[in-house]
Amino acid sequence: MSVFDHREFAEHEQVSFYHDKATGLKAIIAVHNTNLGPGLGGCRMWNYANSEEALTDVLRLSRGMTYKAAMAGLAQGGGKAVIFGDPRKDKTPDMMREMGHFVDTLKGNYITAEDSGIAVSDILLMSENTKHVSGTFSKYSFDGSIADGNPAPATAYGVFAGIKAAVKHVYQSDLQGKKVAIKGVGHVGIRLAEHLYNAGAKLYVADIFPSGVNQAVAEFGAIEVSVDQIDLLDVDVFAPCALGNAINHQNIDHLKARIVAGAANNQLASDEMGVKLTNNGILYAPDYVINAGGIIDIYHQRSDSNVDKLRQHLNQIGETLRTIFVEAEESGLATAKVADSIAELKFK
Ligand code: NAD
């Protein structure tokens, strides 16, 4: 497996591999760019099919964090960690503590946080062996939810602000009566469902596990859809909130939604998908712009800020997207391309 020649290498500053026989921990940390500050990004635990898949994931995610932090106006760089294994079966407290040791070897160049498969309790275990963690406490909650350090509520609120901006741009209207399909009703997806429901949207949901789907059906009147149909529904907005590659060669020409806007990182299987979405008349809210709420929350919780400034910053996601949508329309470029150019001006 090559790293420097990897198609996703993208000038990473540091890529570290770690194996601990005693706990079974196998992990990779990637730090993409620290020009604006230390690399901040979540730690994901996933049952990767092989190490190539894990490396691809961590490189793409960490690069995305550099762009995300720059676009959100934060003095942070981009980094990410992945742990090999099924979080429901393979995770142990000692493995999480050992991950703390691994994070500590980077001496603050990388600051970890929650991501898919990793909870606040896991980060607390890591913090026994490193101080370079975030998302373990909150000074305040912007929406009245429990302030436990979990960035998902802020992420969901930011995605909601972004979907509102996209709907306004395409339909010149609010969310009342709009149909939204959510793929993945986990920490972020379920909270997004609640915001959308409260704004009058009609929901369709799919997940590989039933708990989030059942909750959305029971509490928000959502309609359950199979995971292989959710992206193809005749709805106004498709919101990918599971893992990456939601827009790919298989579904790109069959999407009926006029907007793709959701929480997942790396929604486009390749850059070409962004161009195709534009050509097919579909407005895409670049993933790292719309899902920046979590990192914005962490940033505010770590600095001398307050709940009003945090909420204002989260709402700014809608404004940033509006700028991107207009610039993309005027230039004829894909929204993802326009976002990249704006971000690169900030961190390069
Ligand atoms: P999560 O693990 O709580 O939720 C993901 C959900 O997707 C789970 O319920 C899972 O069962 C489901 N899922 C996985 N594969 C699926 C598939 N093929 N089809 C349908 N459902 C599937 O994770 P989360 O914290 O809600 O994050 C969701 C996405 O948003 C991830 O891509 C994450 O990287 C991204 N994100 C999260 C945050 C955050 O604050 N948590 C911030 C920024 C970006």
Side-chain angles (χ1 to χ4, degrees), residues 40-43 65 68 80 112-116 118-121 123 134-138 140-143 145-159 187-189 191 195 263 290-301 310 314 317:
L40 173 62
C43 175
M65 291 308 293
K68 186 185 299 197
K80 204 85 185 183
T112 199
E114 298 88 347
D115 195 88
S116 206
I118 293 292
V120 175
S121 52
I123 302 291
S134 57
T136 52
F137 77 101
S138 304
Y140 40 75
S141 153
F142 71 95
D143 66 352
S145 60
I146 301 165
D148 64 353
N150 181 358
T155 303
Y157 184 81
V159 173
H187 290 107
V188 179
R191 291 173 167 95
H195 288 302
I290 192 168
N291 72 13
I295 195 174
I296 291 171
D297 182 26
I298 286 172
Y299 189 82
H300 280 259
Q301 304 285 358
L310 169 60
L314 293 172
I317 289 174

Side-chain angles (χ1 to χ4, degrees), residues 213-288:
V213 170
N214 292 344
Q215 190 185 344
V217 170
E219 295 180 21
F220 313 131
I223 292 172
E224 179 178 357
V225 181
S226 70
V227 288
D228 51 354
Q229 286 299 313
I230 189 82
D231 47 349
L232 308 177
L233 290 187
D234 190 1
V235 292
D236 300 297
V237 182
F238 172 45
C241 296
L243 299 189
N245 297 342
I247 308 299
N248 50 54
H249 280 289
Q250 283 76 44
N251 65 11
I252 184 89
D253 289 323
H254 306 286
L255 300 174
K256 297 187 191 73
R258 283 184 67 191
I259 295 167
V260 173
N265 285 307
N266 300 331
Q267 290 173 33
L268 306 180
S270 66
D271 291 350
E272 187 198 340
M273 296 299 120
V275 177
K276 278 200 150 207
L277 284 174
T278 303
N279 293 345
N280 291 355
I282 297 171
L283 184 69
Y284 169 62
D287 45 14
Y288 64 80

Side-chain angles (χ1 to χ4, degrees), residues 18-347:
Y18 195 84
H19 175 227
D20 178 64
K21 199 172 164 193
T23 60
L25 173 68
K26 259 198 205 168
I28 311 174
I29 295 176
V31 178
H32 176 249
N33 186 290
T34 56
N35 285 351
L36 294 177
L40 173 62
C43 175
R44 172 177 291 186
M45 185 165 183
W46 189 249
N47 210 4
Y48 293 103
N50 51 52
S51 42
E52 167 63 27
E53 191 183 283
L55 179 63
T56 301
D57 205 31
V58 76
L59 290 175
R60 292 186 71 196
L61 289 164
S62 119
R63 175 179 177 272
M65 291 308 293
T66 301
Y67 283 75
K68 186 185 299 197
M71 196 58 127
L74 308 178
Q76 293 286 349
K80 204 85 185 183
V82 294
I83 297 176
F84 296 60
D86 182 340
R88 290 168 195 246
K89 289 198 283 211
D90 303 328
K91 201 193 311 178
T92 64
D94 280 347
M95 182 190 277
M96 294 301 104
R97 289 187 185 99
E98 193 57 35
M99 185 64 195
H101 274 304
F102 181 24
V103 170
D104 209 54
T105 62
L106 275 80
K107 298 185 168 65
N109 223 20
Y110 168 65
I111 301 164
T112 199
E114 298 88 347
D115 195 88
S116 206
I118 293 292
V120 175
S121 52
D122 299 319
I123 302 291
L124 283 168
L125 289 167
M126 292 179 204
S127 75
E128 291 177 19
N129 290 320
T130 182
K131 63 178 196 294
H132 304 299
V133 300
S134 57
T136 52
F137 77 101
S138 304
K139 285 184 271 188
Y140 40 75
S141 153
F142 71 95
D143 66 352
S145 60
I146 301 165
D148 64 353
N150 181 358
T155 303
Y157 184 81
V159 173
F160 174 61
I163 290 179
K164 277 195 292 187
V167 165
K168 184 98 191 280
H169 188 79
V170 170
Y171 296 103
Q172 290 81 48
S173 78
D174 62 18
L175 277 158
Q176 187 65 43
K178 289 282 174 285
K179 294 179 182 167
V180 184
I182 305 176
K183 178 179 181 178
V185 259
H187 290 107
V188 179
I190 194 67
R191 291 173 167 95
L192 173 64
E194 184 171 8
H195 288 302
L196 292 167
Y197 170 74
N198 289 334
K202 175 86 205 129
L203 302 178
Y204 300 80
V205 294
D207 199 298
I208 50 173
F209 291 105
S211 62
V213 170
N214 292 344
Q215 190 185 344
V217 170
E219 295 180 21
F220 313 131
I223 292 172
E224 179 178 357
V225 181
S226 70
V227 288
D228 51 354
Q229 286 299 313
I230 189 82
D231 47 349
L232 308 177
L233 290 187
D234 190 1
V235 292
D236 300 297
V237 182
F238 172 45
C241 296
L243 299 189
N245 297 342
I247 308 299
N248 50 54
H249 280 289
Q250 283 76 44
N251 65 11
I252 184 89
D253 289 323
H254 306 286
L255 300 174
K256 297 187 191 73
R258 283 184 67 191
I259 295 167
V260 173
N265 285 307
N266 300 331
Q267 290 173 33
L268 306 180
S270 66
D271 291 350
E272 187 198 340
M273 296 299 120
V275 177
K276 278 200 150 207
L277 284 174
T278 303
N279 293 345
N280 291 355
I282 297 171
L283 184 69
Y284 169 62
D287 45 14
Y288 64 80
V289 183
I290 192 168
N291 72 13
I295 195 174
I296 291 171
D297 182 26
I298 286 172
Y299 189 82
H300 280 259
Q301 304 285 358
R302 287 167 64 86
S303 56
D304 186 21
S305 181
N306 61 47
V307 69
D308 291 333
K309 285 186 191 162
L310 169 60
R311 194 180 292 111
Q312 209 177 0
H313 206 152
L314 293 172
N315 282 322
Q316 181 64 35
I317 289 174
E319 298 302 318
T320 305
L321 283 170
R322 238 186 298 281
T323 308
I324 293 168
F325 296 155
V326 170
E327 208 172 309
E329 227 162 54
E330 285 172 1
S331 63
L333 292 171
T335 50
K337 200 95 213 128
V338 170
D340 282 359
S341 309
I342 297 174
E344 282 163 12
L345 279 178
K346 293 174 191 269
F347 78 80

